[in-house]
Amino acid sequence: MWKSLGMNIQAHEGLLAALGKAYSDIFLSQQNRPEGMGYLDFVMSEIHGLRIEELLQAKQQGRKVIGTFCLYVPEEIIIAAEAVSVGLCAGADFGTELAEQVLPRNTCALIKSFVGFKLAGVCPYVEACDLVIGETTCDGKTKAYEIFNEYKPTFVLEVPSMKNESDRKLWRFEVGRLADQIEKVTGKKITADSLRAAVETVNAKRKALHRLNQLRASDPAPISGRDSLLINQVQFYDDPVRFTQKVNELCDELEDRVAKKVGVAPAGTPRILVSGCPMAAPNWKLPFIIENSGAVIVGEESCVGERGTRNLVDLQGARTREEMLDRIAQRYWGIDCAIFTPNRERIDHVTEMTGKYKADGVVHYEIQFCTPYAMESHSMRQAMGKEGVPFLRIETDYSMEDAAQLQTRVQAFLELLK
Ligand code: BJ8
């Protein structure tokens, strides 16, 4: 299978060995995990196995695989064309040396990772893709897609950086342009019916994740932040219907835990809200450090978290294909990525989340060289100061070199919360 995908088998084996060890240390070592996490463990054990077989079977049946890197790409449109949507990960320090041959060294780790994975030939998802959708969000990604396109066909969606009426119109135009491109690549017509069905599938997935988030507001927390992050990461790869069913089953178990006051850490454990850059799989370093230092993460204000799942598409009253695309565009327009200016909504959301999840402090996570989130930390710190919420800024990359130093900083921060 790997050969047919044109992968570098030796490098891929090296990646899997490193991932298996990290997964066991970070996830399987946890005490008192919900039983429903068994499904996620299974998915992760087969993430470079059965799931890839499923994708290849789908391709044999004439379906296309479309890869994405950003929350602004509406997966509803991909699903409506009977294609498989895969959120490509970019969360590991692998292929970095190769990436640095084509990218400046001072590029964020996420961008280096997706370019590095492709150049090293270690990601079966990228290799299985018929098309990758990029976007003009930050400058680094915008320009990196030009290079990425040399190795994999990449269609770039224009995301404006302001939210004026003219920007909204441009965004709606881009959503239509994406639908046209997906129709061209898949050879399938996107209709009002197929859009409605796709919206229902994706809304159901997001509702299951909302349910999970609400349960995390309980003290003691019924599930760890690491496991919740993992669920949010897996949602980008797994079959959406199966994933939704499994998350709902897990939530049934968590409801029971909440009723019985069973938690992954004792009541009164310091509660942390993580806010900032997305943590794409397998970027688990900071959550592991935070929870290993004696806190529990109760929410993620991130694209691999609540920022990505917050709103649903509202199709009420929409009947035609164009009206449905209007509603889809409207839903995605509400995402409050730091690439926008001004971006007051994100600050309001973090404030709201600290209250909703009873967070004792906010850890602002920035991937080194990510200008939008680093810049926005200034107004975020000010806002948290006004709310009286302790705030810690962490800037790091994907390497483990600073793990001990980060642990010291996190432990000192947690001392403040006592
Ligand atoms: S909607 S957060 S997924 S752009 S970390 S590559 S911003 S320099 S990932 Fe993102 Fe879409 Fe926004 Fe979400 Fe650039 Fe920053 Fe790197 Fe980033």
Side-chain angles (χ1 to χ4, degrees), residues 69-72 107-111 114 135 137-141 276-278 302-304 307 335-339 367-373:
F69 284 114
C70 177
L71 264 288
Y72 278 100
T107 300
C108 95
L110 192 146
I111 297 172
F114 78 69
E135 13 53 57
T137 45
C138 66
D139 290 349
K141 270 173 143 188
C277 290
S302 154
C303 284
V304 186
R307 189 186 317 130
I335 298 173
D336 49 358
C337 175
I339 59 124
I367 299 178
Q368 195 180 24
F369 305 124
C370 172
T371 308
Y373 284 90

Side-chain angles (χ1 to χ4, degrees), residues 152-311:
K152 196 82 193 169
T154 305
F155 174 85
V156 179
L157 194 62
E158 182 164 358
V159 180
S161 52
M162 296 185 83
K163 289 194 174 173
N164 297 317
E165 185 52 19
S166 54
D167 303 303
R168 194 193 61 73
K169 282 190 179 139
L170 169 63
W171 172 240
R172 172 61 184 87
F173 175 81
E174 287 296 290
V175 168
R177 200 168 65 88
L178 175 71
D180 294 345
Q181 178 68 18
I182 301 276
E183 282 184 337
K184 204 161 109 193
V185 170
T186 59
K188 300 270 168 19
K189 276 272 159 229
I190 295 174
T191 63
D193 285 346
S194 68
L195 280 172
R196 183 176 292 285
V199 165
E200 279 168 11
T201 299
V202 180
N203 275 354
K205 176 167 82 166
R206 294 196 178 123
K207 276 186 199 162
L209 292 167
H210 295 173
R211 210 179 144 202
L212 172 70
N213 292 342
Q214 276 165 12
L215 288 159
R216 295 171 71 195
S218 302
D219 190 16
I223 184 167
S224 68
R226 265 168 281 183
D227 279 338
S228 306
L229 173 66
L230 184 71
I231 294 166
N232 275 288
Q233 291 173 337
V234 166
Q235 62 137 330
F236 292 105
Y237 303 91
D238 201 4
D239 173 78
V241 175
R242 177 175 60 205
F243 174 85
T244 302
Q245 183 197 331
K246 291 297 177 183
V247 172
N248 276 320
E249 283 170 19
L250 172 71
C251 289
D252 294 341
E253 182 189 348
L254 298 186
E255 273 172 9
D256 192 49
R257 283 186 156 219
V258 168
K260 292 178 178 150
K261 297 212 168 295
V262 174
V264 284
T269 297
R271 299 166 68 84
I272 297 296
L273 178 77
V274 175
S275 166
C277 290
M279 290 178 182
N283 178 3
W284 303 313
K285 177 170 78 171
L286 187 60
F288 179 57
I289 288 173
I290 292 172
E291 295 198 326
N292 222 23
S293 302
V296 62
I297 298 169
V298 292
E300 297 79 25
E301 188 280 320
S302 154
C303 284
V304 186
E306 206 158 312
R307 189 186 317 130
T309 57
R310 185 173 289 122
N311 302 320

